[in-house]
Amino acid sequence: MTTRLSLLLSASLICLGLSPARAAIDHPDTAHADTTHAAHPAQPIERTSSGTITIDGKSIAYQAVAGTLVVHPHGWDDSDETVQHQTPGSDAHAIDGNPDATASMFYVAYFRKDSRAESRPVTFIYNGGPGSSSVWLHMGAFGPRRVVTNDDTHTPASPYRLIDNPQSLLDVTDLVFVDAPGTGFGRINGKDKEKLFWGVDADGQAFTSFVTQFLAKYGRYNSPKYLFGESYGTMRSAVLVNDLQNQENIDFNGVILLSQILSYDNSVDEPALNPGMDEPFVLALPTYAATAWYHHKLPQQPADLKTFLAEVEHFASTDYLAALQQGAGLPDADRARIVERLHAYTGLPADYVRRADLRIDGGEFSKTLQSDDGMTTGRLDTRFSGPALDPLSEEAGYDPQSTAISSAYVSLFNDYVRKTLNYGDGLTYRPEIDIQHWNFHHAAGGPDATESDGPANVMPDLAQAMKTNPTLKIMLNAGYFDLATPYYEGIYEMRHLPIPAALQKNIEFRQYRSGHMVYANIPALTELHDNIADFIRRTDNQPAAVASAP
């Protein structure tokens, strides 16, 4: 039997596509992939219920639909002749080459009852992983009901609390929480199913198929449309919006990103495997500084976090970057000066920084910052701490933030989906699956482009989507205490998109005093809701009178 500890050890760090043990960006409590114990993918199911939620003093009546949609791999031909040649349940391919594999994708949609489709935005929401369901954003951020957890300490065991969520986005948009193929109540079936659904491009195509089917099923083609992705979901969003706009001719109003990574070359988890690439150390430094500030580990504690981080960002992108680029040629005096600055900004011992050759990766930082106290610092949210598993290890052996809240989310969703949404009796819900062989190679620009051999970089996809739809607006949200996808990394990627300078005005940035799951901190969730609601109202192309109406 797979133990909780082994799952944490094997999946607690961001994936670079280089090691099966590093195959999860989000929420490391994963389970092995399971394609059984669910409805057959060829049989979509849905259940309907109703509810009300009060947001900003206004009562909103909504209809909830929990169900599945069946999607096919890229290249599927749905003509009558082709479909008739398919043999249900067979591993054989049709004579015209149609793939046999199918995926059922589970979703929960919330529709405001007193609204018209053409004047009501719809937002598709998903987490990342890869291999994560949307349970985290659904139950922690924007659904009408929300899990209560402690802010920066371990949440005690059940019974847990589920409350009405005044930060739900139902005040401005209908919501569709989408689980990736193989997660939640969804399953994948057929020959080559993993290859055809588990990869950067295959996943993008599955979500493209889901979105187009959903728009048709619920008559939402003419609604203002948004994508919301967290973590790996931001990479998915870049691929997805480009595919939807340039393959399906469906322009979107906006893309909302939370805890972004668009290029794995920028990850600070295993930069030593890519020697000569120093950017990850530069982009993670402001998060190291914010973390040391939070835990009072700095030699001198600055009074104002934002002012302090602006100073660190400038140092990171100037003196620190220049020093790293010199490599072994860095003069001793300059090296000593950089060591002292890094000590001042991170709280790490100067001798440790020197022995690390000025380069400390994320796992080393998490293990070392509070090691004198026998504590490990969180990765998804560095405000969290937990007892070190091995005081002599080089890197953290687990993520205290995930162990602190995962049980509450998973337990309460399993109750909520069955007792309130009336879905899932006799079925197994997979909040996450451990995908051992995710295909991180990517054909930048679309599935028919040439696939690259290196780590995935979807910056060209987002750039193409913005250039072909110059009205597309982008919103990047990030937590100062996120070491999985450091906030400065997202800023760097956005400022380096291959787009005309004039399109940079279509991008806006928001930071919060929280971690990867910004919404785990209630003041940050309130800010997040208000910022996103304002973004949608400004970009939904509705006249003021219509936008203010139900």
Side-chain angles (χ1 to χ4, degrees):
M1 177 180 291
T2 303
T3 66
R4 183 182 192 186
L5 179 59
S6 68
L7 291 172
L8 290 169
L9 291 173
S10 68
S12 64
L13 298 175
I14 193 171
C15 179
L16 290 174
L18 300 170
S19 169
R22 306 176 87 85
I25 292 177
D26 299 325
H27 321 292
D29 288 317
T30 59
H32 288 294
D34 181 6
T35 58
T36 61
H37 305 104
H40 190 282
Q43 301 172 355
I45 300 172
E46 65 182 52
R47 298 287 185 268
T48 302
S49 57
S50 297
T52 59
I53 181 67
T54 299
I55 303 174
D56 196 24
K58 298 177 181 179
S59 179
I60 298 172
Y62 62 84
Q63 181 186 64
V65 180
T68 57
L69 289 178
V70 175
V71 302
H72 301 276
H74 177 59
W76 170 265
D77 182 354
D78 64 354
S79 66
D80 289 342
E81 180 180 357
T82 300
V83 173
Q84 288 170 4
H85 278 100
Q86 289 296 117
T87 304
S90 169
D91 281 346
H93 284 221
I95 57 174
D96 54 12
N98 242 2
D100 174 68
T102 57
S104 63
M105 293 178 65
F106 180 71
Y107 67 94
V108 179
Y110 296 97
F111 304 108
R112 183 167 179 159
K113 287 187 174 181
D114 54 357
S115 61
R116 295 180 295 115
E118 62 271 20
S119 61
R120 177 70 170 167
V122 59
T123 302
F124 297 89
I125 302 175
Y126 35 82
N127 284 93
S132 175
S133 70
S134 62
V135 64
W136 318 102
L137 284 165
H138 188 171
M139 302 303 289
F142 304 128
R145 302 279 283 167
R146 190 182 75 222
V147 174
V148 176
T149 58
N150 289 350
D151 182 34
D152 62 358
T153 58
H154 197 105
T155 299
S158 56
Y160 302 111
R161 291 177 58 212
L162 188 66
I163 63 172
D164 285 346
N165 183 16
Q167 285 79 36
S168 172
L169 284 170
L170 273 170
D171 55 338
V172 293
T173 178
D174 289 342
L175 306 170
V176 189
F177 295 93
V178 189
D179 289 352
T183 71
F185 290 119
R187 298 295 184 266
I188 60 174
N189 276 356
K191 183 176 181 181
D192 297 328
K193 57 184 181 292
E194 293 89 355
K195 177 182 178 181
L196 292 172
F197 290 110
W198 288 349
V200 175
D201 295 336
D203 174 86
Q205 285 296 299
F207 271 79
T208 296
S209 177
F210 176 92
V211 170
T212 56
Q213 285 192 56
F214 187 94
L215 295 176
K217 178 179 177 67
Y218 293 102
R220 303 308 294 267
Y221 264 101
N222 203 32
S223 297
K225 292 175 284 293
Y226 296 85
L227 300 178
F228 186 113
E230 177 186 351
S231 194
Y232 179 83
T234 64
M235 181 169 281
R236 174 184 294 137
S237 290
V239 175
L240 178 56
V241 72
N242 188 49
D243 288 351
L244 285 166
Q245 292 189 161
N246 292 306
Q247 289 183 45
E248 304 296 332
N249 298 306
I250 306 171
D251 280 356
F252 269 63
N253 297 62
V255 176
I256 305 164
L257 305 173
L258 177 62
S259 305
Q260 172 181 301
I261 183 166
L262 300 184
S263 172
Y264 279 122
D265 278 333
N266 294 325
S267 170
V268 76
D269 278 338
E270 285 186 330
L273 297 179
N274 194 11
M277 182 65 181
D278 290 322
E279 211 67 55
F281 304 106
V282 172
L283 302 179
L285 184 60
T287 298
Y288 294 168
T291 304
W293 177 89
Y294 184 85
H295 292 288
H296 297 275
K297 291 295 184 180
L298 296 170
Q300 294 184 336
Q301 184 78 2
D304 182 70
L305 178 61
K306 286 188 176 182
T307 302
F308 174 55
L309 292 181
E311 177 184 329
V312 177
E313 291 170 11
H314 178 75
F315 167 75
S317 294
T318 54
D319 292 357
Y320 184 40
L321 177 59
L324 295 181
Q325 288 179 334
Q326 292 182 63
L330 182 66
D332 290 344
D334 290 343
R335 183 179 299 273
R337 179 173 58 84
I338 297 298
V339 166
E340 290 304 317
R341 294 287 295 279
L342 290 175
H343 166 64
Y345 288 148
T346 66
L348 298 176
D351 182 61
Y352 179 84
V353 175
R354 186 179 299 107
R355 288 185 289 111
D357 195 25
L358 313 181
R359 297 163 175 85
I360 298 97
D361 70 28
E364 293 166 343
F365 177 83
S366 293
K367 173 63 174 64
T368 306
L369 180 67
Q370 301 183 81
S371 60
D372 287 347
D373 304 321
M375 302 295 284
T376 289
T377 304
R379 171 179 170 270
L380 291 173
D381 192 328
T382 62
R383 298 175 304 139
F384 285 74
S385 302
L389 295 181
D390 180 359
L392 299 180
S393 65
E394 291 186 4
E395 297 191 351
Y398 76 113
D399 186 350
Q401 193 257 7
S402 282
T403 61
I405 66 174
S406 294
S407 177
Y409 276 73
V410 173
S411 299
L412 286 178
F413 180 78
N414 272 285
D415 260 5
Y416 172 73
V417 72
R418 292 171 174 83
K419 296 177 180 178
T420 302
L421 301 181
N422 306 316
Y423 193 102
D425 284 349
L427 305 178
T428 299
Y429 188 84
R430 299 294 181 188
E432 293 188 327
I433 55 176
D434 185 8
I435 299 177
Q436 296 293 318
H437 300 289
W438 185 270
N439 182 2
F440 280 93
H441 298 302
H442 172 53
D448 297 321
T450 301
E451 187 178 87
S452 67
D453 292 328
N457 182 342
V458 300
M459 292 167 65
D461 300 75
L462 184 57
Q464 181 167 300
M466 294 180 70
K467 287 186 284 191
T468 55
N469 174 14
T471 67
L472 178 67
K473 302 300 191 297
I474 311 296
M475 182 187 193
L476 172 58
N477 301 274
Y480 289 128
F481 306 112
D482 176 9
L483 194 51
T485 57
Y487 79 91
Y488 198 45
E489 170 195 298
I491 295 173
Y492 174 88
E493 290 173 344
M494 286 301 186
R495 290 176 176 171
H496 288 77
L497 288 178
I499 57 176
L503 286 180
Q504 281 287 334
K505 72 178 185 304
N506 287 4
I507 306 172
E508 54 189 79
F509 304 87
R510 298 288 185 272
Q511 285 91 41
Y512 308 85
R513 294 195 181 198
S514 190
H516 193 73
M517 299 167 68
V518 165
Y519 42 91
N521 172 268
I522 300 307
L525 172 59
T526 301
E527 289 183 60
L528 183 66
H529 166 274
D530 293 349
N531 289 337
I532 293 172
D534 175 65
F535 175 79
I536 291 175
R537 291 187 180 107
R538 287 186 285 108
T539 58
D540 65 3
N541 297 332
Q542 297 292 316
V546 174
S548 62

